[in-house]
Amino acid sequence: MVLNALGIFGLVVRADLSPAAAVSAALVFVPGDVIKAVLCALVARGVHAASPGLLPERRWQGRRDPSYVSV
Ligand SMILES: O=C(O)CCCC[C@@H]1SC[C@@H]2NC(=O)N[C@@H]21
């Protein structure tokens, strides 16, 4: 969605399209982008399930329960 927003901005500034025309041009990409995002999430979930230690453990940084900090 950030890329789409930047693309709309670019179309307005560089291609001299009206904002409405730029939005409608960018809408063409949205279905494919949603499919790609879902596939990416599924692949990331599979990778994380196969290698749970791949990412560093998140540490609680809040103040309500300092004993929650594990390291
Ligand atoms: O080739 C170009 O100059 C335009 C590339 C456009 C890429 C954008 S990124 C968001 C949207 N989703 C895509 O898959 N392609 C466009």
Side-chain angles (χ1 to χ4, degrees):
M1 291 301 119
V2 171
L3 283 179
N4 292 99
L6 291 173
I8 290 167
F9 178 75
L11 286 172
V12 170
V13 171
R14 303 290 296 179
D16 213 19
L17 290 184
S18 70
V23 167
S24 106
L27 282 178
V28 172
F29 291 106
V30 170
D33 289 345
V34 170
I35 291 169
K36 286 187 284 185
V38 170
L39 287 175
C40 190
L42 292 174
V43 169
R45 188 173 69 173
V47 169
H48 187 62
S51 304
L54 210 56
L55 293 175
E57 200 175 310
R58 280 191 181 176
R59 290 188 298 159
W60 174 251
Q61 305 259 326
R63 293 183 180 182
R64 268 183 250 148
D65 184 9
S67 65
Y68 193 72
V69 176
S70 59
V71 178

